[in-house]
Amino acid sequence: PSFQAMESEISAAFASGEPEDVLSRAFKLTVTREDICTLQPLGWLNDRIMNFYMGLLVERSKKEGYPAVYAFNTFFYSKLSSTSHKAVKKWTKGVDIFEHDVILVPIHLKIHWTLLVIDLRVKTIKYFDSLGQKGDHICRTVLRYLEEESKEKRNIELTASEWTLRSMGTEEIPQQNNGSDCGVFVCKFADFISRDKPIIFTPEHMPYFRRKMVWEIIHQQLL
């Protein structure tokens, strides 16, 4: 599609119609105009937008040349951290997460989105926060989950000492310069990581990424 056609489509998604109009449906999710409007400048992305975008990344990873990606739902970590493996073991029913290369865990911390990434190929768990906060305890919680999941589903004991856990430093990953872009940062961290690409974007890219995500979600296709 031409750039102009895309631009007018994106503007129309924000401008006309009712909040409850359905603009996209996939991954057992329905995205309404109200959801899409969270992608307007300085909007706070909601769970539906985050989960839908993760769905698009997983879908893309099925193509040749991409690492095999699994993404947890945005509600997974809050459930795990407030209960135990037992409470979330059904979430992976019929799925062996260990058959994937990369596992994405989008995390909602009350009013802030962050991302945890498990790379099973090199046994690392990394925490990405666009406000630079450390998430070492989050990494440890997820490693414990992996140990229990491996024992339960595959009868294989993971060796915790073989794993590297790390919160990414502010000099390693771009940082947001406002109070509302964290969700977009998480989506783009996940986008670059799920292509095995270095994270080279900056806060200046956010307005462009927001508009691009509108088109991608409506068309269920990553550009």
Side-chain angles (χ1 to χ4, degrees):
S2 76
F3 182 70
Q4 268 134 333
M6 291 167 81
E7 273 298 318
S8 57
E9 203 176 349
I10 293 161
S11 299
F14 288 148
S16 53
E18 299 300 320
E20 62 275 12
D21 290 345
V22 173
L23 299 189
S24 199
R25 232 190 220 111
F27 321 118
K28 298 183 183 158
L29 292 168
T30 301
V31 173
T32 64
R33 190 180 307 281
E34 190 174 11
D35 299 321
I36 284 287
C37 282
T38 66
L39 284 161
Q40 286 179 306
L42 304 182
W44 286 23
L45 273 53
N46 65 13
D47 289 285
R48 270 193 210 158
I49 294 291
M50 301 295 286
N51 286 323
F52 201 98
Y53 195 80
M54 295 296 147
L56 290 174
L57 297 177
V58 169
E59 205 52 42
R60 180 180 65 190
S61 81
K62 294 171 185 170
K63 293 180 186 164
E64 191 140 348
Y66 289 96
V69 175
Y70 182 82
F72 276 106
N73 183 292
T74 52
F75 303 105
F76 168 77
Y77 181 76
S78 53
K79 182 80 173 164
L80 171 68
S81 59
S82 62
T83 52
S84 65
H85 174 266
K86 203 159 130 193
V88 293
K89 71 177 187 183
K90 284 200 178 120
W91 292 43
T92 51
K93 199 173 175 216
V95 179
D96 182 355
I97 59 170
F98 297 97
E99 284 176 357
H100 297 78
D101 299 317
V102 173
I103 300 171
L104 304 171
V105 188
I107 295 173
H108 197 217
L109 302 170
K110 295 196 176 98
I111 55 164
H112 182 51
W113 288 108
T114 64
L115 179 70
L116 182 134
V117 178
I118 303 160
D119 193 327
L120 292 160
R121 299 167 295 184
V122 289
K123 296 186 180 170
T124 63
I125 298 176
K126 289 180 179 174
Y127 183 71
F128 294 76
D129 186 336
S130 54
L131 285 179
Q133 295 157 350
K134 296 268 177 253
D136 299 351
H137 63 292
I138 296 176
C139 293
R140 286 194 295 273
T141 300
V142 171
L143 179 58
R144 268 199 308 278
Y145 164 81
L146 289 178
E147 290 177 275
E148 288 168 34
E149 181 79 355
S150 181
K151 202 151 68 182
E152 173 105 6
K153 300 274 171 79
R154 310 186 299 166
N155 213 7
I156 296 173
E157 299 266 354
L158 284 194
T159 311
S161 59
E162 292 175 354
W163 285 74
T164 306
L165 278 49
R166 200 151 82 77
S167 295
M168 303 300 280
T170 51
E171 67 297 333
E172 296 174 280
I173 55 170
Q175 300 289 293
Q176 67 191 88
N177 53 14
N178 59 33
S180 52
D181 277 339
C182 54
V184 187
F185 270 84
V186 164
C187 289
K188 297 320 285 186
F189 286 148
D191 171 25
F192 279 65
I193 289 160
S194 63
R195 290 183 283 142
D196 279 335
K197 296 290 183 220
I199 294 168
I200 50 168
F201 61 84
T202 69
E204 283 64 49
H205 289 100
M206 291 300 128
Y208 162 70
F209 284 156
R210 282 175 177 270
R211 293 184 76 79
K212 183 171 167 229
M213 284 172 70
V214 172
W215 192 93
E216 292 173 327
I217 288 169
I218 290 173
H219 288 272
Q220 296 161 28
Q221 177 195 344
L222 293 170
L223 291 166

